[in-house]
C-alpha cells in the first residue's frame, strides 16, 4: 500500500470517528441475529465501490420489504466458524453442543434463505444466492441423533443399555431401601437416603457403627463422624452399573463419530453456505435497523446532493434540515450565529453519506438524493495538540492539507469554521485559497464560517452557493433551519447580550461596526425578507394543492362506496335467486315423484299449477326488490354526477333502507376489506364486537358500514367462554424448600400441565436431605395413573437428589 493510500485510509477512519459513525455501526450490529455477522458489521469500513453500494442497498431494500410484511421469523444463528478445523481433523468427534450448533445453523440458515427468496425472481436476489449450496442434509444428519432441544435422542442402539441401567438402578434402590426401612439398621445411618461416591451407591454410616455394616469404605467426613460405606451386597451391582454406563458412553461416542464423519464430507459446502448466510445476515441487520428508524433509501444522482427533512439519527429531538446542491453547485458555504446548528448540519450531511454507502435507509423524507463518493473527509472541531505543539489553526491546517492531497472529483469534504483560529484577514485569504483549490478539483464541499468576506466569495464564484442558519430576531435564538441561497449574520452582539454581557458594552460594540458592514447587514436582511415572502407564497400553493388532493380523495371515496353498494345489490340478488331456485327445485322434484308413483289425478294437477303460480309470484317479488334497489342506486349515481354526496345530512349512510347508526343485530361491512358481518354488541368506546362467519372480532366503529336489513330480525348470539390461560409445564420442577403438601400439589399441577401440553417427560429436583420429599414424590408418582416410569437421574445430573419422570 503506497503512502497516499495509507493517508487516505487514515483520513477515512478519522472521519468515521468525527462523524460518530461507530455508534451507528454498533446499533446496526445489535440488530444482527448472529454474533459473527455483528462482528463483521463492527469491522466494516465505509465507503465502498459504487457497484457494491448499489447491490447492498438493493438487497437491504428487499429485506426491508420482507420485514415490513410481518412474516419474518427471528431465529438466532449460532457461531460455527471455530468448528471447521475440527471437521478437517481425521477421526475427530464433535461434542453434542457443537453438533447441535451446526444443525441449527444449517436449518435456520436454509429457512432464512427460503424466506428471502419466497419464489421471487428478482435478479438481485438470484445473484446474491447464486452458488449457495443446500445444507439440509447436514441438519437432517445432526437431528437424527440430537433432538430440537439439543438433547441426545433415544436411539435403538441406546435403548437396551438404558433399560439395563434403569434395572440396575432400581435394584440398587431396592437394596438401599433394606437398610433405610429397617429400624435397627436405620439408627446406624446418618441419613435415610443412600448417597453416591464416584458413581457408586453408598450409605452414610455413623462412625460408632462401623463394623455393623460390612462393605467398602469410600470416604470419611471431615468431622470423622460419618463413613460412606458401599455394602458388600451392592458391590457387584455397582460394578455392573458403571460398566453399563461406560457402554452407553461408548455407544454415544460412536454415534457422534459417525455423524461427525458424515458432516466432514460436506465441510467445503458448509463453509460456502456459512459465508453466504453470515453475509446476508449483515444485510438483514441493516434492513432491521432501517425499519426501526423508519428510514427511506436515498436516490442516486452523481450531480446532486439533496437532503429533505433530514434528522440526525443520534440526537434525541433532532430538528429536520434541508440541504440542496443541484446542477453546477459543488460548494455550499453555511454562515449564521454561534450555536445555530451549523456543525450539526455539517455532521448530518456527512453521516448520511456514510450511512448511504453502508447500505442503510436514512431518516429523511422522500426526495433525498446522494451521490456515491470514493472518499468522505471531515475537519470538524478543535483538535489542538500540546504534545505536538499544534495550535487550533495549525491543527486545522494539518488536517486540511491531508484532505487536499487525497480528495478528488468524487469526494465529499466537510470543513467546519474554515479560516478560524488566526487573524481574520489572513484566515479569510487562506480559506478562499483552499476553496479555489477544491473548486478546481471539482470536489463537493460543505463548509461553515463566520468570515464575512466568504459570503461575498459565495456570490462571485461559479458553482458556489451561500446558505444560512435561520435566526429568530424576536426571541434572539436560532431555529436550526437552513435557508439556501442567503448568507447569514453571526448575530454575535445579540447573542452576547442574551448571555449576560452588559448592555453598555454591547452598545459600544455596535458603535465600532462601520457603515459598510451595516450596509451588508441591511442587504442580507432585505434578501432574507424576500426569501420569506417566497416561502409564504409556496406555503399557500402547497395548501391549495392539499385541498385539491383532499377533494379528489373524497370523490374517489364516494365512487368506491357506490361500487360497494352496487356489488352488495348484485350479491344479495344472486343469493336470493339461488335460494329461490333451490327451494323450487325440491318442491318440483317432490311433485314429479308423486306423479310418477301414481296416476295423474285432478288433485295432483292442481298442486302443480299452484306451485307454478307461487313460483311466478315469488320471482316477480324478487324482481321488484332488485328493481327498487337499482332505482335507488341510479338515484345515488345521479346525485354524485351532480356534485352531491351520497351521505345523508345527519351523517348516516344511504337513505331509506339502510340504518343510520350502529347497533346490535344489524348487518355491516366490516374492516379494511369490507367483509359482511353481524354486529353482536358494543365492546369499548368506539369499538364493536362483530361476527364474520364463525369468527368473532373487534372492529373500530369508523370501519363499519351499515347494510340494508334482511327480512328476518337478526339477534346477536353471545356465548361466554373461560379464557383463563392453562398452566405451562416445566422441563424441570424444583420443589426444594417446600413442605411435602406444597411439593405434591406442584407435582400434581405439573403432571396435568405436561399431559395437556403433550410433554412426554420431565424431571423433579427434590434433593437428598432427610429423604422426606424424595419418598413423598416417589409415593405420589407410583400411584399416579399418568406416570409410566420414574427413576433417579444420572450422577452428573443430580443422582438421588433428582428424579426423571416419564409419562404415558
Amino acid at each position: 500500500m503506497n503512502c497516499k493510500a495509507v493517508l487516505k485510509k487514515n483520513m477515512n477512519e478519522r472521519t468515521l470517528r468525527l462523524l460518530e459513525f461507530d455508534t451507528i455501526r454498533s446499533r446496526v450490529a445489535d440488530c444482527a441475529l448472529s454474533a459473527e455477522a455483528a462482528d463483521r458489521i463492527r469491522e466494516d469500513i465505509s465507503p465502498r465501490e459504487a457497484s457494491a453500494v448499489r447491490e447492498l442497498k438493493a438487497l437491504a431494500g428487499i429485506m426491508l420489504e420482507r420485514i415490513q410484511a410481518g412474516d419474518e421469523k427471528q431465529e438466532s444463528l449460532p457461531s460455527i466458524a471455530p468448528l471447521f478445523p475440527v471437521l478437517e481433523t481425521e477421526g475427530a468427534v464433535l461434542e453434542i453442543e457443537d453438533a447441535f450448533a451446526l444443525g441449527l445453523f444449517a436449518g435456520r440458515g436454509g429457512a432464512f434463505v427460503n424466506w428471502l427468496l419466497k419464489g421471487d425472481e428478482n435478479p438481485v436476489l438470484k445473484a446474491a444466492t447464486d452458488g449457495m449450496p443446500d445444507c439440509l442434509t447436514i441438519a437432517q444428519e445432526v437431528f437424527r441423533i440430537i433432538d430440537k432441544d439439543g438433547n441426545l435422542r433415544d436411539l435403538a442402539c441406546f435403548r437396551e443399555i438404558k433399560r439395563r441401567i434403569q434395572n440396575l438402578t432400581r435394584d440398587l434402590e431396592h437394596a438401599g431401601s433394606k437398610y433405610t426401612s429397617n429400624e435397627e439398621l436405620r439408627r446406624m445411618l446418618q441419613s435415610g437416603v443412600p448417597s453416591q461416591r464416584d458413581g457408586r451407591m453408598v450409605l452414610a454410616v455413623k462412625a460408632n457403627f462401623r463394623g455393623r455394616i460390612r462393605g467398602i469404605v469410600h470416604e470419611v467426613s471431615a468431622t470423622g463422624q460419618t463413613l460412606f460405606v458401599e455394602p458388600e451386597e451392592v458391590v457387584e451391582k455397582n460394578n455392573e452399573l458403571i460398566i453399563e454406563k461406560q457402554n452407553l458412553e461408548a455407544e454415544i461416542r460412536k454415534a457422534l463419530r459417525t455423524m461427525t464423519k458424515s458432516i466432514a464430507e460436506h465441510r467445503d459446502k458448509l463453509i460456502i453456505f456459512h459465508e453466504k448466510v453470515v453475509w446476508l445476515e449483515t444485510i438483514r441487520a441493516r434492513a432491521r435497523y432501517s425499519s426501526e428508524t423508519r428510514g427511506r433509501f436515498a436516490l442516486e444522482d452523481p450531480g446532486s446532493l439533496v437532503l429533505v427533512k433530514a434528522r440526525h439519527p443520534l440526537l434525541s429531538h433532532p430538528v429536520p434540515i434541508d440541504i440542496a446542491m443541484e446542477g453546477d453547485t459543488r460548494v455550499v458555504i453555511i454562515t449564521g450565529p454561534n450555536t445555530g446548528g451549523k456543525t450539526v448540519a455539517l455532521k448530518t450531511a456527512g453521516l448520511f453519506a456514510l450511512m448511504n454507502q453502508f447500505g442503510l435507509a436514512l431518516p429523511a423524507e422522500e426526495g433525498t438524493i446522494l451521490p456515491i463518493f470514493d472518499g468522505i473527509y471531515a475537519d470538524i472541531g478543535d483538535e489542538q495538540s500540546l504534545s505536538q505543539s499544534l495550535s487550533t489553526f495549525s491543527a486545522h491546517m494539518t488536517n486540511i492539507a491531508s484532505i487536499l492531497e487525497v480528495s478528488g472529483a468524487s469526494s465529499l469534504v466537510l470543513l467546519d469554521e474554515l479560516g478560524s483560529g488566526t487573524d481574520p484577514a489572513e484566515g479569510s485569504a487562506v480559506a478562499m485559497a483552499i476553496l479555489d483549490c477544491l473548486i478546481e478539483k471539482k470536489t463537493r464541499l460543505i463548509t461553515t464560517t463566520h468570515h464575512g468576506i466568504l459570503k461575498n466569495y459565495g456570490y462571485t464564484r461559479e458553482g458556489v452557493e451561500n446558505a444560512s442558519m435561520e435566526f429568530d430576531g424576536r426571541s434572539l435564538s436560532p431555529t436550526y433551519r437552513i435557508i439556501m441561497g442567503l448568507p447569514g449574520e453571526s448575530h454575535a452582539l445579540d447573542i452576547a447580550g442574551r448571555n449576560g454581557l452588559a448592555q453598555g458594552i454591547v452598545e459600544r460594540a455596535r458603535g465600532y461596526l462601520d457603515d459598510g458592514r451595516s450596509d451588508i447587514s441591511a442587504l442580507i436582511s432585505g434578501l432574507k425578507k424576500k426569501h420569506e415572502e417566497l416561502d409564504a407564497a409556496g406555503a399557500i400553493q402547497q395548501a391549495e394543492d392539499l385541498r385539491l388532493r383532499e377533494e379528489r380523495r373524497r370523490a374517489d371515496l364516494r365512487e368506491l362506496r357506490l361500487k360497494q353498494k352496487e356489488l352488495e345489490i348484485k350479491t344479495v340478488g344472486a343469493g336470493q335467486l339461488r335460494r329461490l331456485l333451490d327451494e323450487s327445485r325440491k318442491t318440483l322434484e317432490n311433485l314429479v315423484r308423486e306423479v310418477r308413483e301414481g296416476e295423474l289425478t285432478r288433485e295432483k294437477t292442481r298442486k302443480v299449477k299452484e306451485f307454478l303460480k307461487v313460483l311466478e309470484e315469488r320471482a316477480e317479488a324478487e324482481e321488484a326488490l332488485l328493481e327498487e334497489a337499482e332505482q335507488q342506486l341510479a338515484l345515488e349515481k345521479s346525485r354524485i354526477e351532480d356534485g352531491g354526496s351520497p351521505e345523508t345530512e345527519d351523517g348516516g349512510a344511504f337513505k331509506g333502507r339502510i340504518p343510520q347508526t350502529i347497533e346490535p343485530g344489524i348487518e355491516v361491512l366490516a374492516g379494511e376489506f369490507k367483509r359482511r358481518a353481524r354486529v353482536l354488541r358494543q365492546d369499548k368506546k368506539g369499538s364493536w364486537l362483530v361476527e364474520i362467519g364463525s369468527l368473532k372480532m373487534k372492529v373500530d366503529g369508523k370501519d363499519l358500514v351499515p347494510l340494508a336489513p334482511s327480512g328476518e330480525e337478526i339477534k346477536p348470539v353471545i356465548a361466554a367462554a373461560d379464557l383463563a390461560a392453562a398452566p405451562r409445564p416445566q422441563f424441570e420442577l424444583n420443589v426444594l424448600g417446600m413442605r411435602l403438601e406444597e411439593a405434591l400439589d406442584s407435582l400434581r399441577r405439573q403432571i396435568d400441565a405436561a399431559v395437556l401440553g403433550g410433554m412426554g417427560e420431565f424431571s423433579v429436583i427434590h434433593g437428598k436431605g432427610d429423604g422426606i420429599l424424595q419418598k413423598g414424590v416417589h409415593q405420589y408418582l407410583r400411584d399416579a395413573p399418568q406416570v409410566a416410569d420414574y427413576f433417579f437421574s444420572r450422577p452428573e445430573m443430580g443422582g438421588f437428589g433428582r428424579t426423571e419422570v416419564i409419562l404415558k
Side-chain angles (χ1 to χ4, degrees):
M1 188 180 292
N2 58 39
C3 294
K4 187 171 182 179
V6 171
L7 179 61
K8 191 171 185 177
K9 180 176 180 294
N10 292 338
M11 292 302 297
N12 185 54
E13 291 177 352
R14 180 175 174 277
T15 299
L16 298 182
R17 186 182 73 255
L18 288 174
L19 298 179
E20 300 177 86
F21 184 69
D22 288 345
T23 304
I24 298 294
R25 203 163 43 187
S26 294
R27 292 184 180 182
V28 176
D30 291 341
C31 294
L33 297 177
S34 160
E36 293 172 315
D39 291 340
R40 292 194 186 185
I41 291 170
R42 291 188 181 95
E43 295 167 1
D44 196 349
I45 296 178
S46 185
R48 45 176 51 85
E49 294 294 328
S51 58
V53 173
R54 295 187 189 105
E55 179 187 17
L56 200 57
K57 289 174 64 177
L59 282 171
I62 294 170
M63 291 193 192
L64 179 59
E65 291 178 1
R66 296 276 196 272
I67 291 171
Q68 291 174 341
D71 60 348
E72 181 191 19
K73 191 175 183 180
Q74 297 190 12
E75 294 180 317
S76 61
L77 298 170
S79 301
I80 64 170
L83 303 180
F84 294 147
V86 178
L87 295 176
E88 193 175 12
T89 305
E90 185 71 27
V93 179
L94 288 169
E95 296 298 329
I96 293 177
E97 295 80 5
D98 296 337
F100 183 55
L102 278 175
L104 284 181
F105 189 93
R108 293 177 178 179
F112 170 33
V113 174
N114 291 336
W115 167 80
L116 181 59
L117 292 175
K118 271 181 134 182
D120 201 326
E121 296 297 323
N122 190 298
V124 177
L125 286 177
K126 291 182 69 176
T129 56
D130 186 40
M132 176 176 282
D134 184 3
C135 289
L136 181 61
T137 54
I138 295 176
Q140 291 172 343
E141 180 65 26
V142 170
F143 292 116
R144 183 180 63 82
I145 297 177
I146 301 172
D147 63 21
K148 296 295 183 181
D149 296 320
N151 301 315
L152 206 62
R153 290 186 182 276
D154 187 21
L155 302 179
C157 57
F158 307 149
R159 203 168 294 135
E160 180 60 26
I161 301 175
K162 285 183 177 180
R163 187 187 62 78
R164 291 198 295 270
I165 290 174
Q166 290 175 5
N167 292 336
L168 288 169
T169 302
R170 194 175 293 112
D171 292 344
L172 285 170
E173 291 174 6
H174 181 68
S177 66
K178 291 180 181 178
Y179 292 90
T180 58
S181 60
N182 187 309
E183 283 299 323
E184 180 65 24
L185 297 175
R186 173 70 182 81
R187 66 187 185 86
M188 304 178 189
L189 304 178
Q190 291 283 17
S191 171
V193 180
S195 183
Q196 285 199 358
R197 289 296 182 273
D198 298 326
R200 308 178 73 87
M201 190 201 82
V202 296
L203 299 174
V205 181
K206 296 177 181 178
N208 55 330
F209 292 104
R210 174 179 177 179
R212 302 290 296 273
I213 298 179
R214 300 179 60 82
I216 302 170
V217 177
H218 282 265
E219 189 178 318
V220 180
S221 68
T223 61
Q225 298 298 315
T226 305
L227 304 178
F228 293 94
V229 179
E230 180 183 6
E232 288 181 345
E233 63 179 289
V234 301
V235 171
E236 188 59 33
K237 291 287 184 184
N238 273 330
N239 291 341
E240 292 179 17
L241 181 61
I242 289 175
I243 292 172
E244 291 298 338
K245 287 181 177 180
Q246 290 177 344
N247 290 340
L248 178 61
E249 194 64 32
E251 284 295 328
I252 291 173
R253 301 298 291 177
K254 180 181 177 182
L256 290 175
R257 185 178 293 107
T258 302
M259 178 194 68
T260 303
K261 182 179 179 181
S262 176
I263 294 174
E265 293 174 355
H266 303 285
R267 176 179 174 274
D268 294 339
K269 184 169 70 170
L270 183 60
I271 290 175
I272 296 172
F273 179 79
H274 168 263
E275 181 64 28
K276 287 261 189 181
V277 168
V278 171
W279 174 66
L280 287 171
E281 179 56 31
T282 64
I283 301 174
R284 179 163 64 168
R286 289 169 164 87
R288 194 174 289 112
Y289 174 82
S290 299
S291 177
E292 290 177 359
T293 57
R294 300 190 298 276
R296 300 173 185 268
F297 286 99
L299 303 175
E300 181 188 344
D301 183 353
S304 299
L305 187 157
V306 180
L307 302 183
V308 182
K309 298 286 187 291
R311 304 177 300 278
H312 196 290
L314 301 182
L315 297 180
S316 56
H317 300 290
V319 177
I321 65 170
D322 298 294
I323 297 177
M325 298 175 68
E326 299 178 280
D328 296 331
T329 302
R330 306 289 293 181
V331 177
V332 170
I333 302 174
I334 303 177
T335 52
N338 291 304
T339 68
K342 298 189 300 297
T343 303
V344 172
L346 209 63
K347 286 188 173 183
T348 302
L351 189 58
F352 270 43
L354 289 171
M355 291 172 64
N356 179 61
Q357 299 194 196
F358 198 63
L360 298 176
L362 310 176
E365 296 300 321
E366 202 75 49
T368 296
I369 303 171
L370 282 169
I372 296 176
F373 300 105
D374 63 2
I376 300 170
Y377 310 107
D379 178 61
I380 298 174
D382 184 0
E383 294 198 6
Q384 63 176 328
S385 172
L386 297 179
S387 62
Q388 299 180 25
S389 301
L390 291 177
S391 66
T392 300
F393 181 73
S394 299
H396 280 306
M397 288 303 105
T398 300
N399 294 331
I400 292 174
S402 300
I403 290 173
L404 293 176
E405 185 174 346
V406 298
S407 62
S410 298
S411 303
L412 174 64
V413 175
L414 309 167
L415 302 179
D416 190 28
E417 300 293 353
L418 182 59
S420 63
T422 187
D423 177 77
E426 293 183 3
S428 298
V430 172
M432 288 188 287
I434 291 171
L435 293 176
D436 287 341
C437 179
L438 291 172
I439 291 171
E440 290 170 4
K441 298 174 74 170
K442 297 184 178 179
T443 302
R444 196 174 293 274
L445 166 69
I446 304 177
T447 182
T448 67
T449 185
H450 281 288
H451 291 307
I453 194 170
L454 292 182
K455 302 173 186 177
N456 185 57
Y457 181 93
Y459 280 121
T460 58
R461 290 294 190 278
E462 291 270 343
V464 181
E465 185 169 1
N466 280 312
S468 59
M469 304 305 298
E470 188 178 48
F471 187 82
D472 189 342
R474 295 179 181 177
S475 63
L476 300 181
S477 60
T479 64
Y480 306 106
R481 184 167 156 263
I482 296 178
I483 302 176
M484 298 300 297
L486 286 177
E489 296 182 83
S490 294
H491 291 280
L493 301 183
D494 294 328
I495 293 173
R498 187 169 179 266
N499 284 277
L501 192 63
Q503 188 63 30
I505 297 176
V506 173
E507 291 302 325
R508 183 171 295 183
R510 293 189 193 278
Y512 281 117
L513 292 175
D514 56 28
D515 294 338
R517 169 68 183 274
S518 300
D519 292 341
I520 293 174
S521 297
L523 176 62
I524 291 174
S525 299
L527 289 172
K528 184 177 179 180
K529 186 176 180 181
K530 289 291 184 184
H531 201 281
E532 289 173 351
E533 291 175 356
L534 288 174
D535 283 348
I540 293 173
Q541 182 62 42
Q542 187 177 9
E544 181 65 17
D545 290 343
L546 287 174
R547 186 185 64 78
L548 292 175
R549 281 200 295 270
E550 179 64 18
E551 287 186 0
R552 181 174 180 179
R553 187 190 68 80
R554 290 177 180 174
D556 291 342
L557 182 60
R558 288 197 295 269
E559 184 179 356
L560 176 62
R561 288 176 177 170
L562 199 58
K563 288 180 178 178
Q564 289 173 345
K565 180 63 178 176
E566 189 172 5
L567 177 61
E568 179 195 346
I569 291 173
K570 290 180 179 179
T571 304
V572 171
Q576 292 173 343
L577 184 59
R578 279 194 296 271
R579 288 195 297 271
L580 177 62
L581 291 176
D582 289 341
E583 295 170 2
S584 302
R585 182 169 58 250
K586 292 176 183 177
T587 306
L588 186 58
E589 287 173 354
N590 291 333
L591 290 173
V592 169
R593 188 181 302 109
E594 290 180 8
V595 171
R596 287 178 176 174
E597 290 175 353
E599 295 180 0
L600 186 62
T601 64
R602 179 178 297 177
E603 180 64 22
K604 292 179 179 179
T605 303
R606 184 182 61 78
K607 284 184 179 180
V608 171
K609 288 182 179 180
E610 287 180 355
F611 164 73
L612 292 176
K613 183 178 180 182
V614 169
L615 179 61
E616 183 179 359
E617 290 175 351
R618 291 184 63 184
E620 289 176 354
E622 295 293 338
E623 185 177 353
L625 288 174
L626 286 175
E627 184 177 353
E628 180 185 351
E630 288 174 356
Q631 289 175 355
Q632 187 177 1
L633 185 62
L635 181 62
E636 297 300 333
K637 283 184 177 179
S638 175
R639 185 178 302 166
I640 289 175
E641 289 172 357
D642 293 340
S645 170
E647 299 179 349
T648 61
E649 293 178 0
D650 55 354
F654 292 99
K655 291 183 179 179
R657 295 167 57 84
I658 300 179
Q660 298 182 4
T661 57
I662 305 297
E663 57 187 21
I666 71 167
E667 291 191 339
V668 293
L669 295 178
E672 180 183 356
F673 300 100
K674 294 294 181 281
R675 298 181 62 185
R676 195 178 190 91
R678 176 188 303 170
V679 177
L680 298 179
R681 59 179 170 82
Q682 187 168 11
D683 184 69
K684 294 180 180 178
K685 186 176 181 181
S687 66
W688 294 81
L689 182 68
V690 303
E691 183 180 37
I692 303 176
S694 61
L695 177 67
K696 295 182 177 64
M697 62 186 294
K698 297 177 184 177
V699 181
D700 198 290
K702 65 176 182 294
D703 294 330
L704 298 178
V705 179
L707 294 178
S710 59
E712 300 176 357
E713 181 182 358
I714 302 173
K715 296 183 179 179
V717 179
I718 302 175
D722 184 8
L723 301 178
R728 298 185 63 181
Q730 306 174 46
F731 290 104
E732 189 176 79
L733 177 64
N734 191 337
V735 298
L736 287 175
M738 297 184 184
R739 297 196 304 275
L740 181 60
E741 294 78 6
E742 295 174 338
L744 295 183
D745 187 53
S746 297
L747 180 58
R748 177 186 60 77
R749 292 197 302 271
Q750 167 70 8
I751 292 175
D752 292 343
V755 171
L756 290 174
M759 180 185 289
E761 56 183 302
F762 63 91
S763 59
V764 182
I765 300 176
H766 44 66
K768 300 173 185 176
D770 294 330
I772 296 174
L773 281 178
Q774 183 195 67
K775 286 182 180 179
V777 167
H778 281 207
Q779 177 67 35
Y780 186 92
L781 293 175
R782 183 166 55 249
D783 299 335
Q786 306 96 324
V787 177
D789 195 7
Y790 62 94
F791 49 87
F792 286 116
S793 300
R794 293 164 53 186
E796 62 270 21
M797 298 296 291
F800 293 109
R802 171 184 170 130
T803 297
E804 304 293 335
V805 182
I806 300 177
L807 301 179
K808 294 180 180 178

